[in-house]
Amino acid sequence: MKKNLISVIILALLIVNIVLTAIMMFSVTGSARKTSALVDNITRSLNLELTAKGEAGATAVPMSDIATYDIEKMTIELKRDEGEAEGEEGEQHFFVGAITLSMNTKHEDYKTYGEEMESRQSLIKSEITDVISSYTAEDARNNQDGMKADILERIQTMFNSEFIFNVAFSDIIIQ
């Protein structure tokens, strides 16, 4: 008789365990869906990209929303190698090239800054010169993506905005 009573109690506890597990699964699944939907809504409202950035900080901007600002060829003196002193007769190296800034026309700061880039050209050139002149000729040849990233960072800091999202070089010569 005791064996039957223990078997009935074990069976009752198993049934209660299964019922409580099912209730817990349904409640956790529902709240997980709600949490996922909440995170999706927040990222959509903040307009966050869940994909990785590409080269040199470039973001996914459609071609129809891109405006470019071209800076004519600049000749910039590069930093001397560590082994050369200022007064030594060494070969001086130069960076010669045109630079293009890509701007997002849908960004809210584009109307403020982007349409009047000509008036700020000397400030932009100064930032570009500061960055490029801090590189040696070898570094400039081997690390053009780093130069682009540094220029982009300095220009975004100068404007306190990210409406400029890419820097490109064209017709460059490092001699």
Side-chain angles (χ1 to χ4, degrees):
M1 185 77 166
K2 284 188 177 183
K3 288 184 180 181
N4 277 346
L5 185 60
I6 291 175
S7 297
V8 169
I9 291 173
I10 290 173
L11 181 65
L13 288 175
L14 282 173
I15 293 172
V16 168
N17 188 14
I18 291 171
V19 169
L20 289 176
T21 302
I23 291 171
M24 186 175 66
M25 286 300 289
F26 286 117
S27 66
V28 169
T29 304
S31 72
R33 275 193 212 126
K34 290 177 185 175
T35 302
S36 177
L38 177 66
V39 169
D40 288 342
N41 287 338
I42 290 171
T43 56
R44 235 180 279 124
S45 68
L46 294 176
N47 195 19
L48 293 177
E49 292 289 329
L50 298 178
T51 59
K53 285 188 173 185
E55 63 180 58
T59 57
V61 177
M63 286 300 286
S64 60
D65 296 340
I66 296 176
T68 59
Y69 179 68
D70 297 321
I71 298 172
E72 73 276 353
K73 278 194 173 186
M74 295 176 65
T75 302
I76 302 169
E77 186 176 337
L78 294 171
K79 182 173 119 179
R80 292 184 180 266
D81 290 331
E82 296 294 323
E84 297 179 18
E86 210 38 61
E88 284 186 23
E89 287 294 323
E91 189 176 331
Q92 183 57 52
H93 299 284
F94 293 93
F95 171 94
V96 179
I99 298 162
T100 301
L101 305 177
S102 299
M103 301 176 287
N104 182 356
T105 59
K106 298 295 184 188
H107 195 281
E108 61 256 6
D109 290 336
Y110 177 75
K111 289 196 186 319
T112 306
Y113 301 118
E115 295 172 350
E116 299 174 2
M117 292 293 282
E118 284 293 324
S119 65
R120 295 175 179 87
Q121 185 177 23
S122 61
L123 295 172
I124 294 169
K125 282 183 170 182
S126 173
E127 293 294 327
I128 292 170
T129 302
D130 286 348
V131 171
I132 293 177
S133 65
S134 69
Y135 282 81
T136 63
E138 185 177 333
D139 292 340
R141 282 187 197 99
N142 297 333
N143 193 11
Q144 289 183 14
D145 288 337
M147 272 198 314
K148 291 176 188 178
D150 291 346
I151 291 169
L152 180 64
E153 182 181 327
R154 291 278 293 266
I155 290 175
Q156 286 177 342
T157 302
M158 181 179 77
F159 283 105
N160 196 23
S161 176
E162 293 182 355
F163 77 99
I164 296 173
F165 66 92
N166 193 22
V167 174
F169 296 146
S170 61
D171 302 327
I172 64 168
I173 300 171
I174 298 172
Q175 47 175 281

